[in-house]
Amino acid sequence: MRVFRHFRLHEEDGAAAAVYSVSLNPDGSLLATCGGDKLVRLWSTQLFKSNDDEPAKHLVQSLSKHVKVVTCCAWSSNGSWLASGSDDTQVLLWTNTGASWTRQATLRGHTMDVLDVAWGDDDKVLASCSIDNTVLIWDVSTKSMTMTPKTTLRGHKNWVKGVAWDPTGRFLASAGEDRRVLVWRRDKNASSEFRVEADIRAPFEDVTAQTFFQRLSWAPDGRSLGVPNARKALQATACVLARGKWESVADLVGHRHPVTVVRFSPVLFHGEDDEDQPRSVVAIGGQDATVSVWTSARAKPLVVFRDCFGGAVSDLAWSRNGSLLCASSHDGSTCTFEFDVERDLGKRLSSSDARAHLDAAFAVEGGSNGLSLPNPAEITQQKKEPPKKKRIAPAPVAAPRVNVLKAKKKRIQPTP
């Protein structure tokens, strides 16, 4: 495992500007970043596999059509399109015309700052959320120069800070400052295409501190949903919700301040025994400037990168093959963690096996609700004992592959 840190990827008035979002394109050649300087920037990922202190020479292009802070960016699954959202209320779609990346569409519909965007599994639909309390659904299959939303989802009573589609495209999850996660069921044949499947409140009832973002993520097999900024027994946690039952089945505990982002690796891994369910790997980042990486087979984190930054972690992004994890921060820097996947994380399922697993699990929705992240208590309990839900308490992992990155400590105050 190797760790690389880079500074001042975004600048404003000669000072480092916050990096609010990162996204790796599917072939792993480009990293998109966006931030407080109103720019989206595209970088060669060669920068993030080295300690090169001259990042400018790895800059592919700066995209400058937003007129205010750019808060989020996300590649489509085929890598042909990049979506970005901004405080200017707009979502822009970018594509490579051959000579350069250019704006191809402007999506207008939000009335206030956009905080997150998420592509559907077929790249024909895009979701965005905003502090105007709405989630907008866009039909982007036509890629018209100017678009209006296809559907407006009104269910949150306060700012909506994160959205995520499940891998099957049947559910969209949204997280809001109203201490709720809404799961929306999508039915293309119904008169109303979206309806609330679940209104989840219990893991968030005791939350007292708010975060700038609440970026949530589905496991690659769609069986569980990871949500930041939860709270359990007065401790900041990320909670894992079981698909179908929509109940918390695990709490990832250990961060000193609220968790801001949860990102599952897109890769599924073989279970530790041949008969085990495939394992998933998830990374979480928080306002304590710390990133931790977990696997469903263990009750402790694989690795904890402490005090990576001088500010809150704003976003996380995995490469499609699961070997790179990129983190961004409000302090204007990024950290990239490069894994030896087989040694550090485990043996990957092939893409065909992973797809077959997904198809078998959800051929009929409402079937097995087996969890991608199983109850951690099952790891140590005897078979005769019924599993009970327990909090996952992190502890140092005494293994050679675990690196702990330390930087100058700084108490992170919640971002307004």
Side-chain angles (χ1 to χ4, degrees), residues 190-353:
S191 57
S192 178
E193 186 175 353
F194 291 87
R195 63 177 175 81
V196 175
E197 173 81 1
D199 184 341
I200 305 161
R201 307 188 187 201
F204 320 106
E205 290 175 345
D206 297 329
V207 170
T208 57
Q210 295 300 329
T211 59
F212 197 87
F213 303 110
Q214 291 174 229
R215 289 175 164 155
L216 63 175
S217 173
W218 293 84
D221 62 1
R223 295 185 178 210
S224 51
L225 173 66
V227 185
N229 202 21
R231 194 168 174 86
K232 185 76 171 183
L234 303 180
Q235 291 183 284
T237 74
C239 70
V240 180
L241 305 172
R243 181 192 186 101
K245 295 181 180 179
W246 310 117
E247 297 174 349
S248 178
V249 293
D251 300 295
L252 308 183
V253 182
H255 284 258
R256 300 184 300 269
H257 296 290
V259 175
T260 55
V261 54
V262 177
R263 292 289 187 217
F264 278 93
S265 167
V267 176
L268 281 172
F269 296 86
H270 286 278
E272 294 190 348
D273 296 320
D274 291 340
E275 296 182 359
D276 287 351
Q277 286 279 352
R279 295 184 295 109
S280 53
V281 170
V282 63
I284 64 177
Q287 288 188 339
D288 55 0
T290 298
V291 174
S292 58
V293 180
W294 306 71
T295 176
S296 58
R298 299 185 182 182
K300 299 177 181 179
L302 286 174
V303 59
V304 177
F305 301 98
R306 300 190 186 283
D307 302 308
C308 300
F309 304 106
V313 178
S314 57
D315 203 1
L316 296 166
W318 289 92
S319 61
R320 181 164 285 186
N321 66 6
S323 64
L324 281 181
L325 172 65
C326 294
S328 59
S329 171
H330 293 255
D331 72 359
S333 67
T334 65
C335 272
T336 305
F337 314 106
E338 185 177 25
F339 296 94
D340 180 328
V341 176
E342 295 286 323
R343 184 172 67 88
D344 296 330
L345 303 177
K347 185 179 179 181
R348 287 177 287 213
L349 252 65
S350 67
S351 57
S352 58
D353 286 346

Side-chain angles (χ1 to χ4, degrees), residues 40-57:
V40 179
R41 289 190 160 178
L42 306 181
W43 306 87
S44 166
T45 50
Q46 291 304 310
L47 168 65
F48 303 95
K49 298 179 182 180
S50 72
N51 285 314
D52 195 327
D53 59 0
E54 297 183 27
K57 68 184 183 183

